[in-house]
Amino acid sequence: MTTLSAERLTIGYEERTIVQDLDLDFIPGQITAIIGPNGCGKSTILKTMARLHTATSGSIYLDGKMIHQTPAKEVAKKLAILPQAPEAPDGLTVYELISYGRTPHQSGFSLLKKHDREMIEWAMNVTGLTDLQNQAVDTLSGGQRQRAWIAMSIAQETDLLMLDEPTTYLDLAHQLEVLQLLERINQEDGRTIIMVIHDLNQASRFAHQLVALKNGKIVKQGSAEQVMDPVVLKQVFNIDTEIVADPRTGKPAMISYDLIK
Amino acid sequence: MIKHRQARFKWSMLCLFGLLLLSCVLSLNLGAVAIAPKEVFQTVLGNGSARQELILFQFRLPAIVLAIMVGAGMAISGSILQGITRNELADPGILGINAGSGLAVVIYITFFQTAVGGLTLAGTFILPIFAFLGALLTGALIMVLSWRKGIHSSRLILVGIGINAGLSAFIIALQLRLEPNDFVKAMVWLSGDLWASQWQYVWALLPWFIILSIFALLKAHTLNIMNLGSQMATALGIRSLRQRVILLIIAVALAGLGVAAGGGIAFLGLIAPHIARRLVGPKHQLLLPVASLMGAIIVVLADTIGKNALSPTEIPAGLVVAIVSVPYFLVLLMKSK
């Protein structure tokens, strides 16, 4: 199983430092949700650990090897990341987009081999896009489009799948659809999933592990029971929360909250 | 529809190829001396008169080969620029590459050429080299100026537009100092005249064009991924900065070749990929071949029309392309969301 960790990570944009001396570890085979208020650095950390953004200092290890010293293609065979709100060029079909996920496994002229086509078929199947494969991505609904991008990322055939707010801009039903899809990929395929997510109850319900961040620092990392705690949430979001066990899932759920004045 | 799209690609290629052949025949039989299609075929088969052979093989055929090369090259150049900037308005004209090339030519005419004698024999060979170097230098300038921890697409376009405006002003300033004869020559060049229609130029330019086009085709998949944005490209294991520089060099070199042979044909790099994208979609393995055929057809037809419409006055092919493509472009802009 592929492992990913950061050591003494410092990240900044221009002059502003967002994260300082962060140590972070993810448990292989699990779903990890990164939560925290706006501007706490959660997306930045995710992108930096997936080498889409360069850290000021510190190291990121993928399978024990420094990620920036590993060839780009090798990294892309182990780690897939879906940034927020990606855009496909007009007219690109769902099948074409998903096939792009095979890029790190291809060489030269990028012809699709048998295994490539099998992975594309599988990704279409799991995401329920087989019937839409010939449609242009830009003509799909928000939920379908997000599923197409996820299909591309899982066709990349990596142990590790990172997603930056995969449910943003989706309505409730489509949010659930995406999260259940990720849960299924984690359970059936054993892939490690790391995602940034805003909804605390969804994080609690679908993630094995939660990382609560504030000002670029980890306030608490652990199970939903450990993190969905009024004391922790007060520290992270500055809110006063009411937490109960969800009657359907048994997971901690927040039923009400107030700002702390 | 993958099958559907593949089929569409095959049909498009077949139709465009037929259309190109037809344009070539048309171009061969029209001119100051009209040669009927039947006679064209007979001459090609070796049964024509000496005069027909001279006109076809020494005058019209090299012009056609050159037109195909310029058209295809500009179309590929435009496709690449649009792919790496993710902006369908990018093309070598808008980014100032044509202007840079044009400026080099005007500088050459202004400073290195005797006013009365026109282009000397050596001059005719040095001129395209100047145009080519001008394009490469401008490309380098755009890259350096838009560099800020990597090359950002929108910055690249804005810098290009700025450079285009600056260089065009320079060109006018220089042109105003030219002798009337040279002024006209520079003007005709700048508006895209396929002047280099002799075999010697064709042989000098064709190998480069073939090498660059093949190289571009080999990079088709990289272009597909760059089209998803630089973050997505990195995520898929493409070293986007390096690839962007390589692709930019290919695009600039192809544009440089085009300008060297045919002056700055405006809008071609924009229109040809646009039509191609409507036919076969944005996947570059399909887009590049279709766009290059499209570009070739446009220039062959434009050259033929330019030479014959107002005969004996010849209109530069670039002007014909502009006259036809500007309305298309405006309609496109009005239709787009």
Side-chain angles (χ1 to χ4, degrees), chain B residues 149-229:
Chain B
K149 284 188 189 165
I151 299 173
H152 200 267
S153 304
S154 51
R155 212 177 146 77
L156 189 79
I157 292 179
L158 287 176
V159 166
I161 291 173
I163 284 184
N164 190 19
L167 291 177
S168 305
F170 249 118
I171 290 176
I172 294 176
L174 278 177
Q175 264 187 309
L176 292 176
R177 299 183 31 190
L178 291 176
E179 300 289 328
N181 265 343
D182 289 341
F183 181 88
V184 170
K185 187 176 291 159
M187 207 58 218
V188 167
W189 168 285
L190 289 170
S191 41
D193 182 37
L194 293 171
W195 64 279
S197 52
Q198 289 164 38
W199 284 117
Q200 55 197 33
Y201 297 117
V202 172
W203 296 132
L205 297 170
L206 196 62
W208 293 107
F209 165 74
I210 292 175
I211 291 171
L212 287 167
S213 302
I214 291 175
F215 204 42
L217 267 179
L218 287 174
K219 288 275 171 206
H221 190 65
T222 307
L223 272 169
N224 291 339
I225 304 302
M226 308 279 292
N227 223 343
L228 301 178

Side-chain angles (χ1 to χ4, degrees), chain A residues 156-227:
Chain A
Q156 206 175 327
E157 211 181 350
T158 57
D159 268 355
L160 245 164
L161 177 58
M162 299 172 102
L163 306 105
D164 192 357
E165 298 195 20
T167 52
T168 315
Y169 307 127
L170 301 183
D171 62 42
L172 286 175
H174 286 115
Q175 289 182 14
L176 201 61
E177 203 177 73
V178 164
L179 290 167
Q180 281 177 342
L181 167 63
L182 293 175
E183 186 175 49
R184 189 173 152 203
I185 293 163
N186 168 259
Q187 283 172 355
E188 291 178 8
D189 228 45
R191 299 195 192 196
T192 310
I193 292 174
I194 301 162
M195 61 182 172
V196 166
I197 192 165
H198 265 296
D199 190 301
L200 294 180
N201 289 343
Q202 288 175 347
S204 165
R205 177 169 165 187
F206 288 98
H208 304 99
Q209 172 102 179
L210 270 65
V211 181
L213 292 170
K214 184 166 195 186
N215 297 331
K217 289 197 169 57
I218 299 174
V219 176
K220 185 86 183 173
Q221 178 171 14
S223 65
E225 285 75 16
Q226 289 169 311
V227 178

Side-chain angles (χ1 to χ4, degrees), chain A residues 47 51-52 72 76 81 83 87 89-93 95-96 100-101 103-104 106 109-110 134 149 152 156, chain B residues 1-2 5 86 149 217-218 221 224-225 227-228 231-232 234-239 281-283 285-286 337:
Chain A
K47 275 196 249 168
R51 53 85 176 87
L52 297 190
I81 171 152
E87 261 180 67
D90 284 356
L92 191 73
T93 66
Y95 188 97
E96 285 170 336
Y100 289 177
T103 303
Q106 293 172 310
F109 210 61
S110 77
N134 299 321
W149 282 100
M152 188 205 78
Q156 206 175 327
Chain B
M1 189 175 99
I2 280 313
R5 190 159 263 185
R86 304 179 75 199
K149 284 188 189 165
L217 267 179
L218 287 174
H221 190 65
N224 291 339
I225 304 302
N227 223 343
L228 301 178
Q231 287 200 340
M232 213 60 238
T234 309
L236 289 168
I238 301 278
R239 298 172 67 186
K283 198 174 166 180
Q285 283 92 333
L286 315 181
K337 307 156 220 167

Side-chain angles (χ1 to χ4, degrees), chain A residues 3-230:
Chain A
T3 58
L4 182 69
S5 61
E7 247 173 53
R8 302 214 328 286
L9 202 61
T10 299
I11 318 167
Y13 290 102
E14 312 277 304
E15 298 296 296
R16 207 160 55 95
T17 302
I18 290 171
V19 177
Q20 190 129 36
D21 284 331
L22 177 89
D23 290 323
L24 184 57
D25 232 319
F26 298 108
I27 301 176
Q30 290 201 342
I31 298 180
T32 302
I34 302 176
I35 57 169
N38 291 336
C40 75
K42 45 190 191 317
S43 283
T44 306
I45 293 171
L46 191 83
K47 275 196 249 168
T48 308
M49 291 191 71
R51 53 85 176 87
L52 297 190
H53 184 75
T54 317
T56 318
S57 67
S59 329
I60 299 146
Y61 296 98
L62 180 68
D63 275 344
K65 280 201 291 189
M66 298 249 275
I67 203 166
H68 287 285
Q69 289 172 5
T70 315
K73 226 176 175 177
E74 290 310 307
V75 176
K77 283 181 188 170
K78 293 177 174 177
L79 182 160
I81 171 152
L82 186 57
Q84 223 182 109
E87 261 180 67
D90 284 356
L92 191 73
T93 66
V94 170
Y95 188 97
E96 285 170 336
L97 178 69
I98 299 175
S99 75
Y100 289 177
R102 299 301 300 165
T103 303
H105 301 277
Q106 293 172 310
S107 54
F109 210 61
S110 77
L111 296 168
L112 294 173
K113 298 201 181 70
K114 186 165 171 268
H115 180 64
D116 294 317
R117 280 195 297 271
E118 282 167 4
M119 283 307 294
I120 297 166
E121 293 292 334
W122 169 80
M124 281 194 308
N125 220 332
V126 172
T127 51
L129 290 170
T130 310
D131 291 340
L132 295 173
Q133 58 177 297
N134 299 321
Q135 288 233 22
V137 177
D138 53 301
T139 62
L140 300 180
S141 72
Q144 292 167 337
R145 201 174 307 163
Q146 185 65 338
R147 289 205 316 254
W149 282 100
I150 291 175
M152 188 205 78
S153 295
I154 61 175
Q156 206 175 327
E157 211 181 350
T158 57
D159 268 355
L160 245 164
L161 177 58
M162 299 172 102
L163 306 105
D164 192 357
E165 298 195 20
T167 52
T168 315
Y169 307 127
L170 301 183
D171 62 42
L172 286 175
H174 286 115
Q175 289 182 14
L176 201 61
E177 203 177 73
V178 164
L179 290 167
Q180 281 177 342
L181 167 63
L182 293 175
E183 186 175 49
R184 189 173 152 203
I185 293 163
N186 168 259
Q187 283 172 355
E188 291 178 8
D189 228 45
R191 299 195 192 196
T192 310
I193 292 174
I194 301 162
M195 61 182 172
V196 166
I197 192 165
H198 265 296
D199 190 301
L200 294 180
N201 289 343
Q202 288 175 347
S204 165
R205 177 169 165 187
F206 288 98
H208 304 99
Q209 172 102 179
L210 270 65
V211 181
L213 292 170
K214 184 166 195 186
N215 297 331
K217 289 197 169 57
I218 299 174
V219 176
K220 185 86 183 173
Q221 178 171 14
S223 65
E225 285 75 16
Q226 289 169 311
V227 178
M228 289 287 281
D229 174 86

